Amino acid sequence: MRTEFFTGLNTRFGGLCLSFMLSVLLLGMFSSTAWAQDTQAPPASTTEAAALPAAAVPAAAAEAAASFDKGDVAWMLTATLLVLMMVVPGLALFYGGLVRAKNVLSVLSQVLVVFSLVLMLWVAYGYSAVFSAGNQFFGSFTEFAFLEGFTPDSVGNTPIAGLPDFLFVAFQSTFAGITTALIVGAFAERIKFRAVLLFSALWFTLSYIPMAHIVWGGGYLGEMGAIDFAGGTVVHINAGVAGLVAAWFVGKRLGYGQTALKPHNLPLTWIGAMLLWVGWFGFNAGSAAAADTVASLAFINTVLATAAAVLGWTLVEAITKGHPSALGAASGAVAGLVGVTPACGTVGPLGAIVIGFVTGMVCVWGVTGLKRLLKADDTADVFGVHGVGGIVGAILTGVFSAQSLGGTKADLDIGHQLWVQVVSVGFTVLWSAVVTAVVLLVVRALVGLRVSEEAERTGLDVTTHGESAYEA
């Protein structure tokens, strides 16, 4: 869509960003007085106390121990670093290899800058809006704004009494950052850089924050009993659906469906996928918030489900295409990681294998047949892997979490839990789709979405960033 009727877009965009930053600063300045009468601890989640972020029970500050288990703290510091590695360089390399050579730096830059932007917004108001008391959909944007009341020794401001407050905030920040950065792969190679940043800030505020609160912060789905140990709905379905809607709004790349738009460096993508697998242990096992048996369960499930998904994807490719591909095996690994994420702390090893194998096979269809059916140019198959894989994993979590099938839930009514999981999936899909569409309409009106045809043909590395990845 052309936006010539908007005059002074650069000035308006700069003014918008400045106004946004000033608004956040004002929230922080007035937070101590506006919420002086509301000092409740974050609400308790309805799932197991041992699991985080599938949520743990908050403890009052007065009951929190002054000292921490050094093993738990060391593990969570490591887990946080592992999730950071998932994004930079893992996700960035995975996406970077999938685009053409003229756009690789643009994708690397978008992942890094979006991730960094969200970390700042998380500290400014994101953590507060997710993990403070509020309604069914949002916490308070000001209670913990700019980490109000936090100190290096503070406890009781997070749902986990056994960890330093700052450590929990840092761990959760990486979840917010990677979720928003995942969407970059859907509209890569043709979107304006400033549009990516404005979209990311708005989408984080209106989609990630409420979904995290709804599931992990004591909101609607958490109270309903939805099981999401490490982010099947909050992270993967949320980002996957957003990627699909964004791909529709931004439109197809020039030449899509007419010429082959091949990945320029599959070894780069393969390395990125393997870094994602290693980093995912922080994502899944770290969600136990302790170095304990729950973390061990999540750890082995992350190993097994991923391996099973690689085999499932490879098998389907070998049968349908006549040959297995390296890209397919790497994509299968990511699909398995996505599928087991909501289930890793509540299913047994055999359940994880089934979830991984099924997810790997279904996601082959997600990036081929379903993609053609939806007529979306989802560059890095964000929806086909993260959206579809997240849906499969979230639903199967309701089956294999039952103790009778090797899970940890002794009294689980599989039929009822399946219904809850389906409701949680449907709610996430609807919320993310509507919010993403509204945000994209706003971004398109303010700064536009696509670069010019000339810039797209030349490549975003040169036209947006003024540099080239591969010099002749």
Side-chain angles (χ1 to χ4, degrees):
M1 175 178 177
R2 297 183 66 83
T3 56
E4 287 89 342
F5 56 91
F6 291 99
T7 59
L9 285 181
N10 287 331
T11 302
R12 292 181 182 217
F13 180 66
L16 178 69
C17 293
L18 180 60
S19 299
F20 182 76
M21 293 176 65
L22 289 174
S23 298
V24 172
L25 287 171
L26 287 174
L27 282 175
M29 291 171 60
F30 288 106
S31 62
S32 58
T33 56
W35 289 85
Q37 303 302 318
D38 184 8
T39 56
Q40 291 179 306
S45 173
T46 58
T47 53
E48 292 185 355
L52 179 93
V57 179
E63 299 175 356
S67 60
F68 308 104
D69 184 297
K70 292 183 179 179
D72 290 345
V73 173
W75 162 237
M76 291 306 297
L77 288 168
T78 303
T80 303
L81 286 174
L82 286 171
V83 183
L84 175 62
M85 187 181 72
M86 287 175 64
V87 193
V88 282
L91 181 66
L93 292 177
F94 184 79
Y95 283 170
L98 290 175
V99 300
R100 288 165 290 178
K102 62 184 179 180
N103 296 311
V104 59
L105 292 180
S106 73
V107 173
L108 298 180
S109 298
Q110 287 174 20
V111 171
L112 175 59
V113 177
V114 165
F115 183 69
S116 301
L117 171 64
V118 171
L119 295 188
M120 296 297 99
L121 298 180
W122 178 255
V123 171
Y125 59 82
Y127 174 81
S128 182
V130 172
F131 289 108
S132 65
N135 55 41
Q136 292 289 306
F137 303 99
F138 289 93
S140 164
F141 278 78
T142 58
E143 184 174 354
F144 297 123
F146 293 97
L147 305 186
E148 173 77 17
F150 284 60
T151 69
D153 299 322
S154 66
V155 295
N157 292 323
T158 77
I160 300 299
L163 296 175
D165 285 345
F166 282 150
L167 178 52
F168 180 77
V169 173
F171 180 69
Q172 285 293 314
S173 73
T174 59
F175 279 67
I178 193 172
T179 304
T180 312
L182 281 172
I183 307 170
V184 165
F187 44 54
E189 298 197 286
R190 73 269 200 195
I191 194 169
K192 295 179 179 179
F193 188 67
R194 59 188 178 185
V196 174
L197 299 185
L198 181 56
F199 167 81
S200 298
L202 294 174
W203 188 88
F204 162 75
T205 304
L206 299 175
S207 193
Y208 181 82
I209 284 177
M211 281 306 308
H213 181 77
I214 288 166
V215 176
W216 296 332
Y220 169 64
L221 294 178
E223 289 187 353
M224 182 184 290
I227 301 174
D228 188 356
F229 189 83
T233 52
V234 178
V235 177
H236 297 292
I237 300 176
N238 199 9
V241 171
L244 175 63
V245 174
W248 280 331
F249 266 77
V250 178
K252 298 175 181 178
R253 289 168 289 174
L254 295 176
Y256 181 80
Q258 301 171 350
T259 59
L261 306 179
K262 295 182 179 180
H264 90 284
N265 193 326
L266 288 181
L268 207 64
T269 294
W270 192 92
I271 292 170
M274 298 308 103
L275 286 171
L276 282 167
W277 190 353
V278 175
W280 221 289
F281 290 104
F283 199 81
N284 284 355
S287 292
D292 59 11
T293 56
V294 179
S296 299
L297 177 64
F299 198 100
I300 191 171
N301 285 342
T302 303
V303 172
L304 297 176
T306 310
V310 170
L311 297 178
W313 191 300
T314 299
L315 176 64
V316 171
E317 273 199 339
I319 294 173
T320 59
K321 297 182 178 181
H323 53 79
S325 68
L327 176 59
S331 300
V334 177
L337 291 164
V338 171
V340 79
T341 290
C344 60
T346 58
V347 305
L350 293 181
I353 291 173
V354 174
I355 291 173
F357 193 73
V358 172
T359 303
M361 292 192 296
V362 173
C363 283
V364 179
W365 171 72
V367 304
T368 53
L370 180 60
K371 184 176 182 177
R372 288 192 293 269
L373 184 66
L374 295 173
K375 297 180 180 180
D377 181 11
D378 181 350
T379 307
D381 291 315
V382 178
F383 180 73
V385 174
H386 295 274
V388 173
I391 290 171
V392 172
I395 292 174
L396 292 182
T397 297
V399 177
F400 291 101
S401 292
Q403 193 173 71
S404 59
L405 294 176
T408 63
K409 304 289 188 179
D411 300 320
L412 186 72
D413 181 333
I414 294 178
H416 173 71
Q417 191 62 46
L418 264 176
W419 169 247
V420 171
Q421 297 300 110
V422 169
V423 169
S424 70
V425 167
F427 182 93
T428 306
V429 169
L430 182 61
W431 184 284
S432 181
V434 172
V435 169
T436 303
V438 172
V439 168
L440 285 166
L441 287 171
V442 172
V443 174
R444 185 166 66 182
L446 291 174
V447 301
L449 293 174
R450 288 191 73 134
V451 299
S452 67
E453 290 188 5
E454 181 182 356
E456 186 175 345
R457 287 193 175 93
T458 302
L460 302 189
D461 287 3
V462 172
T463 58
T464 298
H465 303 285
E467 50 191 348
S468 180
Y470 306 105
E471 298 293 344

